[in-house]
Amino acid sequence: MAMTCTRWADAPATGDAAVRRATIAGTGAHLKRVEIAAGTTAGRHDHPFEQFVIVESGSGSLTTADGTIALEPGLVIHFPPGTWHEAVFATATVLLEVNLAPA
């Protein structure tokens, strides 16, 4: 397989004014850049896949079974498959997500 290079501006995107997701797909994982408007909430949910989330910019809070933490730039979060989480975004926030294919 050949290497590919993609600019976020050229990546396929979906969403609305509250949440916009640009996705770059691989064979065993995909990378997303998620732009989230201030005041947006993400209700409690989980995924059947492993996920890493990097807070690129913005602020808010993340709640899991382990408690609530502040979202801030530079924070890296790891969710094993099936880990429930919910979030509130206090300011406009940009997240990078790495979603791995289920084992």
Side-chain angles (χ1 to χ4, degrees):
M1 174 178 249
M3 178 193 81
T4 61
C5 296
T6 306
R7 289 182 174 77
W8 283 119
D10 299 330
T14 60
D16 54 31
V19 180
R20 181 182 179 278
R21 292 177 176 88
T23 302
I24 300 172
T27 55
H30 62 272
L31 178 62
K32 288 185 180 182
R33 184 172 191 272
V34 186
E35 298 174 0
I36 306 162
T40 300
T41 61
R44 183 176 169 158
H45 65 284
D46 62 50
H47 310 282
F49 50 83
E50 183 175 15
Q51 181 182 62
F52 290 87
V53 177
I54 303 157
V55 181
E56 188 174 274
S57 63
S59 64
S61 62
L62 172 74
T63 301
T64 70
D66 295 324
T68 300
I69 61 168
L71 297 174
E72 57 187 30
L75 182 67
V76 178
I77 306 154
H78 172 246
F79 296 111
T83 302
W84 72 262
H85 51 285
E86 59 189 6
V88 175
F89 300 94
T91 63
T93 300
V94 175
L95 305 175
L96 299 177
E97 293 181 359
V98 178
N99 299 307
L100 304 171

